[in-house]
Structure formats: structure tokens, C-alpha cells
């Protein structure tokens, strides 16, 4: 099998493992086991494609890797909170209550952990794996575009395929993909991804229900203007990431 054939086959295996195995598992302990087994599976595929080391796909605890994660988290959480505030102010949903404090703490911890794992594994497959295998073989701009398109298509596992969701994912993917392009590692990307997902989870829980979050809400029919907010906010987030790009630590290993 050719190099590209091995890389594509490895990508398909990892993507199906995440979206059909880990994400679809309804038993917590089984899900934990599948997450733990993801990394030996990934290692085996990397050996097959001769990348061999995790750092080749951006998983490297380089100096100040945590700085990229923290900056990314603040950006992702802040812009997604801004999105929810704007939608609320323009009548997109009504807050009807919140979970009791002890339940709120447990829910927040579950949201933080679940979305950290989910964001990181998705980032490994869609951006780390793609950049790690192609960045030295084809022009980097094409690696960027391929990763961006794969993210938009892959998001249909969660939201279903539609032109509007694909456009949203393409715009959101700009920030995530650029963070990997700029830093050479996954931490800035995962920070952004994790932060916005945590904000989403506060309002919708881990399963995407308006009554499943820490903040209980009731959504109203969405106007065209409210729909536009979902595109405008991630676009401004990308512009912000671009403007502060030098705040991230670059890894050149």
C-alpha cells in the first residue's frame, strides 16, 4: 500500500473509532476504556505511516504548552459566551432556571472533562494527524484547506449534514486550524476547542439539550438575524486569533 493509502486508511480507522465507538458508547466505563485504547491504536497507525512519535502530530509537552492551552481556552470560552449573550439579548432564548449548587458543580466537572477529551481526540485526528503527515509533502496552504474541509465534513457526525452547518464548521474551523498552523502543536487549538465546548455545555449539557445544562433555558424560533450571529462570532474569533497570534508559543520540534 502506498504512503497516502496508509495515511487515508489510518485516518478512517481513527475517525470511525472516535465517532462510532467512543462517542456512541452509552456506558461510562466502556467509554473510558475506549479512550485509553485510542492512544495505542494511534501509536500503531503512526508506526505504520512512519511518523512513529506523538510529537510528529503535535502532541508534545514543549515549554509553555500550557500557556497555549490557557490562552486558547479563554478565547474559545469568551467568544462563545459572547455568542450566547447576544442571542439572549435579541430574544433567542429565555433562561428558566438553573441546577442546584451541588448538582451544578458535578455537572460542570463532567462538562469540563468530557469536552476536554472530546476536543483533544478530534483535534488529534482532524488537525494533528493531517498536518503531521502532509506538512512536509505538499504546500502548507493545501494542508490547511484539507484539514478545514475534513473538520466541516466530520462535524456532520454530531449535527447532521447541511449547507448551513457546513458553512458554520468551515468558519469555526479557521481558528482551530490556524492555531495548529501557527504554533506547530495542538495545545492552542485544543484550548480554543475546549473553551467554546465548555461554554456550550454550560447551556446545553454534554448531550446538547436546552434543559441538560447548568443553565436551564427555553429556545425561541430563530430568525435570520439570530442565525447570522452564529456565523459572525466565530469569524470575529478567527480575526482575534490572527491578531494575537504572536501571544502563542511556537513549537519547532
Amino acid at each position: 500500500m502506498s504512503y497516502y493509502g496508509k495515511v487515508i486508511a489510518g485516518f478512517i480507522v481513527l475517525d470511525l473509532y472516535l465517532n462510532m465507538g467512543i462517542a456512541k458508547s452509552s456506558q461510562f466505563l466502556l467509554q473510558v476504556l475506549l479512550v485509553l485504547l485510542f492512544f495505542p491504536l494511534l501509536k500503531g497507525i503512526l508506526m505504520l505511516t512512519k511518523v512513529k512519535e506523538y510529537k510528529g502530530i503535535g502532541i508534545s509537552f514543549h515549554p509553555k504548552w500550557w500557556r497555549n492551552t490557557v490562552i486558547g481556552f479563554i478565547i474559545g470560552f469568551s467568544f462563545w459566551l459572547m455568542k450566547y449573550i447576544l442571542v439572549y439579548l435579541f430574544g433567542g432564548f429565555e433562561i428558566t432556571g438553573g441546577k442546584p449548587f451541588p448538582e451544578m458543580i458535578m455537572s460542570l466537572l463532567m462538562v469540563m472533562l468530557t469536552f476536554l477529551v472530546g476536543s483533544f481526540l478530534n483535534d488529534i485526528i482532524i488537525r494533528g494527524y493531517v498536518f503531521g503527515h502532509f506538512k512536509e509533502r505538499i504546500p502548507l496552504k493545501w494542508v490547511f484547506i484539507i484539514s478545514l474541509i475534513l473538520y466541516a465534513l466530520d462535524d456532520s457526525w454530531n449535527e447532521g449534514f447541511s449547507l448551513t452547518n457546513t458553512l458554520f464548521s468551515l468558519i469555526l474551523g479557521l481558528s482551530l486550524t490556524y492555531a495548529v498552523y501557527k504554533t506547530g502543536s495542538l495545545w492552542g487549538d485544543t484550548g480554543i476547542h475546549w473553551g467554546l465546548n465548555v461554554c456550550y455545555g454550560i447551556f446545553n449539557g454534554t448531550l446538547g439539550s436546552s434543559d441538560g445544562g447548568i443553565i436551564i433555558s427555553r429556545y425561541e424560533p430563530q430568525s435570520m438575524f439570530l442565525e447570522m450571529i452564529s456565523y459572525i462570532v466565530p469569524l470575529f474569533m478567527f480575526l482575534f486569533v490572527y491578531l494575537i497570534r504572536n501571544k502563542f508559543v511556537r513549537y519547532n520540534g
Side-chain angles (χ1 to χ4, degrees), residues 31-100:
Q31 203 167 42
V32 171
L33 177 61
L34 290 173
V35 169
L36 293 176
L37 290 175
F38 173 86
F39 291 95
L41 174 63
L42 174 62
K43 181 68 172 180
I45 291 173
L46 294 181
M47 294 292 290
L48 182 66
T49 58
K50 295 184 170 56
V51 172
K52 297 182 180 179
E53 300 294 334
Y54 288 141
K55 65 181 181 180
I57 58 169
I59 308 174
S60 174
F61 294 96
H62 59 83
K64 297 188 177 179
W65 64 271
W66 53 269
R67 174 188 169 106
N68 288 354
T69 306
V70 170
I71 293 174
F73 184 92
I74 292 171
I75 292 171
F77 188 90
S78 299
F79 274 89
W80 241 239
L81 181 60
M82 182 192 309
K83 181 170 83 78
Y84 278 104
I85 290 173
L86 287 172
V87 172
Y88 174 76
L89 291 176
F90 287 101
F93 67 91
E94 177 185 353
I95 296 175
T96 59
K99 289 186 174 181

Side-chain angles (χ1 to χ4, degrees), residues 130-144:
V130 173
F131 272 83
H133 285 92
F134 294 138
K135 64 184 179 182
E136 295 180 356
R137 292 177 177 265
I138 62 176
L140 208 50
K141 66 178 181 181
W142 288 111
V143 182
F144 190 105

Side-chain angles (χ1 to χ4, degrees), residues 93-110:
F93 67 91
E94 177 185 353
I95 296 175
T96 59
K99 289 186 174 181
F101 184 74
E103 190 177 346
M104 181 185 299
I105 297 300
M106 290 304 299
S107 295
L108 180 59
L109 290 174
M110 184 59 69

Side-chain angles (χ1 to χ4, degrees), residues 193-209:
H193 205 173
W194 183 28
L196 64 90
N197 276 335
V198 167
C199 187
Y200 169 88
I202 289 173
F203 286 90
N204 299 281
T206 57
L207 300 177
S209 170

Side-chain angles (χ1 to χ4, degrees), residues 171-184:
I171 298 173
L172 173 57
L174 287 171
S175 296
L176 305 176
T177 310
Y178 184 76
V180 175
Y181 168 81
K182 180 62 181 176
T183 65

